[in-house]
């Protein structure tokens, strides 16, 4: 059984995924790091800049990554915040049924949920995160994305004020994963 961790930027997907990996001994992968590797070490912000701000090539790469992981078994997959989305030629982001199907094919999907105001403050002015849109605020993006995360999830885990360690332990228990 694979576990895919989804949710918005800043919710703690990477930290909780790493901690869950340590707790269970399950290998940990991240779609963003796989994408960087496949692009010869080019960071995601630089990759998007090389595409003149066009997110479509990156979203296509995410689908390819999910398809390549179809034979994986027993991994924890930390998914980038946009894993469920694609971008139309017009630049509008939309929920991708194709990416959702690819994700569901390989894993049980866990959505990490957290308060919107916390998320906005967490990613505000973070230079390591590429701009999602020059025209749309993160609040607007969250308003569109949050219902999609819920729709895609097999399990919704409310992070609340739990520490990373507490979240990983509670999540392992909820998923009935054996711990080391």
């Amino acid at each position: 059984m694979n576990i895919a961790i989804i949710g918005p930027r800043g919710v703690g997907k990477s930290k909780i995924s790493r901690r869950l990996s340590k707790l269970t001994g399950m290998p940990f992968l991240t779609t963003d790091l796989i994408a960087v590797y496949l692009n010869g070490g080019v960071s995601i912000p630089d990759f998007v800049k090389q595409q003149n701000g066009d997110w479509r090539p990156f979203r296509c790469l995410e689908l390819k990554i999910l398809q390549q992981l179809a034979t994986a078994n027993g991994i924890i997959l930390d998914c980038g915040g946009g894993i469920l989305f694609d971008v139309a030629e017009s630049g509008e982001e939309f929920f991708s049924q194709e990416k959702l199907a690819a994700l569901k094919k390989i894993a049980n999907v866990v959505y990490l949920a957290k308060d919107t105001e916390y998320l906005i403050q967490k990613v505000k002015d973070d230079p390591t995160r590429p701009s999602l849109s020059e025209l749309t605020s993160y609040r607007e993006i969250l308003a569109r994305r949050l219902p999609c995360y819920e729709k895609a999830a097999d399990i919704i885990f409310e992070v609340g004020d739990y520490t990373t360690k507490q979240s990983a332990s509670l999540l392992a228990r909820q998923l009935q994963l054996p711990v080391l």
Side-chain angles (χ1 to χ4, degrees), residues 17 42 48 63 68 78 80 90-91 93 112 126 143 157 163 168 172:
S17 294
V42 176
V48 173
L63 177 60
Q68 290 174 347
D78 165 25
S90 67
E93 183 177 81
L112 299 183
D126 184 343
F157 182 82
T163 64

Side-chain angles (χ1 to χ4, degrees), residues 85 92-94 133 136-137 139-149:
F85 304 94
E92 285 293 311
E93 183 177 81
F94 64 92
S133 170
T136 308
S137 74
R139 183 180 306 280
E140 292 170 303
I141 290 168
L142 286 172
R144 278 197 320 267
R145 285 186 175 184
L146 295 181
C148 298
Y149 294 133

Side-chain angles (χ1 to χ4, degrees), residues 25-151:
M26 295 172 69
F28 160 76
L29 297 171
T30 170
T31 58
D32 285 351
L33 286 178
I34 294 169
V36 169
Y37 170 79
L38 292 174
N39 284 313
V42 176
S43 71
I44 295 168
D46 287 343
F47 179 77
V48 173
K49 279 182 194 171
Q50 289 173 357
Q51 307 301 317
N52 297 316
D54 186 355
W55 277 88
R56 287 179 297 160
F58 182 76
R59 296 296 177 223
C60 289
L61 180 59
E62 286 178 318
L63 177 60
K64 289 176 187 170
I65 290 167
L66 293 176
Q67 292 167 337
Q68 290 174 347
L69 290 171
T71 59
N73 189 27
I75 64 168
I76 296 168
L77 184 63
D78 165 25
C79 299
I83 198 72
L84 297 174
F85 304 94
D86 219 329
V87 179
E89 280 190 42
S90 67
E92 285 293 311
E93 183 177 81
F94 64 92
F95 182 71
S96 172
Q97 291 293 338
E98 185 177 22
K99 287 171 84 176
L100 175 61
L103 190 59
K104 291 275 195 179
K105 183 178 179 181
I106 65 169
N108 288 328
V109 180
V110 176
Y111 163 41
L112 299 183
K114 190 140 175 123
D115 175 68
T116 300
E117 291 308 314
Y118 170 88
L119 296 170
I120 290 168
Q121 290 305 310
K122 176 90 185 276
V123 303
K124 186 175 132 188
D125 303 323
D126 184 343
T128 65
R129 300 174 191 271
S131 173
L132 293 169
S133 170
E134 298 300 321
L135 304 174
T136 308
S137 74
Y138 188 46
R139 183 180 306 280
E140 292 170 303
I141 290 168
L142 286 172
R144 278 197 320 267
R145 285 186 175 184
L146 295 181
C148 298
Y149 294 133
E150 287 184 22
K151 177 182 172 181

Side-chain angles (χ1 to χ4, degrees), residues 146-166:
L146 295 181
C148 298
Y149 294 133
E150 287 184 22
K151 177 182 172 181
D154 296 310
I155 293 173
I156 298 172
F157 182 82
E158 183 62 50
V159 176
D161 292 328
Y162 295 125
T163 64
T164 300
K165 187 176 182 177
Q166 290 169 328

